[in-house]
Amino acid sequence: MSTALLAIADRVVEQAAPGEQVEAFVSRGGETEIRVYGGEIEHFVSAESEGIGIRVIRDGRTGFAYAGTLDEAAVSEVLEQARVNLQFGTSDEFAALAEPDGVAVTAQTLWNDELASFPTDRKIDLAKELERLGASFDARVRVDDANYADAHAEAAVASTTGIRTAGRENGCYVSLSTLADDGDGDAAETQTGFGFSVGRHPDEFDLERAAKDASDRATRLLGATKPTSRRLTVVFDPFVTAQFLGVISSTLNGEAVVKGRSLFRDRLGDTVAAPGFTLVDDPTNPLAYTATDVDGEGLAARRNVLVDDGVLQRFVHNSYSARRAGAASTGNAVRGGFAGTPGVGCLALSLVPGTRSQAELVADVDDGLLVQQVQGIHSGVNPISGDFSTGAAGLLISGGEVGAPVREFTIASTLQRMLLDVVEVGGDLEWLPMRSAGMSLVIRDVTMSGA
Amino acid sequence: MIDRDVLERVLGGAVRTGADFAEVYAEDKRSTSAALDDGRVEQVSSGRDRGAGIRVVAGETTGFAYTSDLSEAGLTRAADAAAAAAANGDDRTRTVALTPSPAHRPNRIVHEPDSIDTARKVELLRRVDDAARSVGAEIVQVSAGYGDSTKRVLVANTDGVCADDHIVRTLLRISAVAAGDGGMQTGYKVLGHTVGFEIFDTVDVDDLARDAARQAITKLSARPAPSGSMPVVIRHGTGGVLFHEACGHGLEADHIQKAASVYAGKVGQQVASPLVTLVDDGTMPGEWGTLGIDDEGHVTQRNVLIEDGILTDYMWDYLRSRKGDHPQSGNGRRQSYQHLPMVRMTNTFVLDGPDDPADIVAATPSGVYVAQLGGGSVNTASGDFVFGMTEAYLIENGEITEPLRDGNLIGNGPQVLRDIDMLGNDFAMGSPGTCGKDGQGVPVGDGQPTLRVAALTVGGTAA
């Protein structure tokens, strides 16, 4: 239970020397991962892990150390090592731990007892059933892998500044990858698809839909050709929009702002996006896959409106970036486990959805492209300069109708222009297994680069 | 790390319910990192990761569990959990006898990271910060990171393998931001080797920092990259990622055995221009993907994958070798003891060709010259791959002219390999990389001479 972890964190904090700020982050978790191939279990992973990260601040200098164990002797060593490390840092007047800010925690149901006791053989059956469904819709489709995974984690944070919080959560998902084959000899081609379903409990899975998505995604691209280069209007599928919002979020990161690395750093109050574009980070929304009650520093997670009807309203901050910006933490400290210190990031990002379906959006497009997948967002987008270029695959749109599949091309613009070129936000909001929701999104004047 | 008799008992217990293979992979890793940003050394951090992953195989099924408890009791619990998933109902006693292998250490470490005072590591960061900012007033921000790690590895299995390794990594990265009338641009350089602090005796980190700064400043006057298909020349020592994506992943035997690669069934066939000889070599001294043994205890080796354009072999790990009745190639790797091994590259590179690099540019009337590539990714089944360009120029009338803004390039692996029509004689290894596959990242190296691809699609916005 988390009380045991909190006790470990408390014992570390009690050892703080006068003049020292000490924070301990303690976590313990486990995972099950089952992969099925050809009706058999390909692998079954079952594991538990734990660890502690300790931050010490003294005279404006910060030191950090961690260990992947909660063994008592190791914990003492970690505290000592963090103290040794701090002497090498530069003194920084803004360096300090988060302090309680009085914002009430929105209670969340992040733990499901039934998942914790869900039997192993039923997990295996789910993966096998998903594999069977994946190949059942189309004779050209085979399944590359079908997976069931669940994870549980408990964590506690305590500090000399009065932070003291603990909690636990669990969740599960199923996913599959598909291959669709067509043609023979030199004309032989294979395209790929994927599908998934997530939940707090396996009862929430929609296996049928995950399998159908994976089958359709692969078969739709069979026969795809390389399009000719031109400028056109793109309609992003929800999954693509979610990835796009993830890129946008790095430009609204308070740490990037205070260090002069955000292209929107001087733009608060300005119009940076088209009317109707309202971007909200809200981890208190229980529908969000990444919903949470507290952030990585133990402050209450909260709803923040970042862009309101095209106007830039706010950046997201942890306590450090906020102090430097002369603002208050927005509860956006993010932590990648016990082995690192909290950074800044959006927790559960979404656009306020519009009202129309994807089919209605497409009907308004004369020459366009329905983007089903993007490839290389990490390598072709520079969030500091704003240059956006990514590989893509999808279906051409002509006269309001979806037509031939295309692949092996890129779409390019700049982040600054794309936000202003948003035509409409779809009403088909979907929470995805990532830090962003997705919905269809129409953007005009994007360069398609192909043959 | 663990006594041999303990390993023998744990392995024997892991296969007592009828599994045909069990393996213990143990590691003890210590790491130090320091980060400078905005002129401040923000934080020095250190960590320790220690644990073991136990794999049990019965037929086509693998059970896997890991633990941070390296006692016999802890290992036995993990072995039981792994065995529970991979059993055929037998109950028998099996004796395992381990034979320790002689050490294979491609790298000679002069200065172990632990022997160097932290102050000297931090001092490097201040130096590169000063050097980058000295290049011009346009430089508005610099961040730099230093990292080292020392990892001891022990692998033992029921086939009697008992091998260990000692891997040291040292890395320095610098990123600079320049600001001008047209907005901000970035420059990035990274240095990393599988050796200790002695790397800084031979590499001038000030030069590296100035290069990152110059790259950012140069791009302030960059114009949008062109769009469409055109000849692309890639500078030596930066384009290895092209081969990593265009064919490297597609030559991994796990994709081959699932018929999820465009290169399945093509051994002995012409898959690339006759200019191309592609090698994966885990033994190159000091390189980022170099290991003494792979993460299944198999000694690393040099593997020729494509020779004069003909596909000669794939890369193999234990499971795929067993299934394909083929020798292991030293390519079984994993991110840590918490991960299952799979087929991965080590250092992947193309050998020298016949051309003078200057002639390659001169022979190109118009196109793009890529001086630095970023990351990439590939769909092994369709062969479509992308990679980012982070420093590139136009080629006009056989000369390198104006700088271009960042963008992606896209191509289809088998087509691009055939379209390599000039290959330089100036081979160089590239920057350290992290290769991601199925959620696991492992360090890899790459390299190539200057080369030209007759047609690649450049993903810019200009007509």
Side-chain angles (χ1 to χ4, degrees), chain A residues 247-312:
Chain A
V247 172
I248 296 296
S249 77
S250 62
T251 67
L252 304 176
N253 178 313
E255 186 179 347
V257 171
V258 298
K259 291 177 178 172
R261 244 182 230 114
S262 161
L263 52 90
F264 293 125
R265 65 194 183 287
D266 306 319
R267 305 289 307 278
L268 276 183
D270 289 358
T271 295
V272 299
F277 187 96
T278 295
L279 184 65
V280 178
D281 185 49
D282 186 10
T284 68
N285 181 345
L287 295 174
Y289 179 72
T290 49
T292 182
D293 45 3
V294 295
D295 78 349
E297 291 182 305
L299 296 182
R302 58 203 79 173
R303 181 175 193 269
N304 290 296
V305 177
L306 309 179
V307 178
D308 189 6
D309 203 19
V311 178
L312 181 59

Side-chain angles (χ1 to χ4, degrees), chain A residues 177-217:
Chain A
S177 309
T178 50
L179 300 162
D181 306 302
D182 207 5
D184 294 307
D186 283 350
E189 66 165 320
T190 302
Q191 298 298 335
T192 59
F194 64 93
F196 52 80
S197 186
V198 301
R200 295 266 167 220
H201 185 269
D203 285 349
E204 296 172 14
F205 291 153
D206 187 342
L207 295 188
E208 186 95 9
R209 184 179 167 201
K212 187 75 166 67
D213 281 352
S215 181
D216 289 348
R217 280 188 169 110

Side-chain angles (χ1 to χ4, degrees), chain B residues 25 53 64 66 334-341 438-441:
Chain B
Y25 170 93
F64 181 70
Y66 55 80
R334 58 181 117 205
Q335 181 176 316
S336 78
Y337 73 89
Q338 300 186 349
H339 299 84
L340 273 168
D438 214 2
Q440 294 190 40

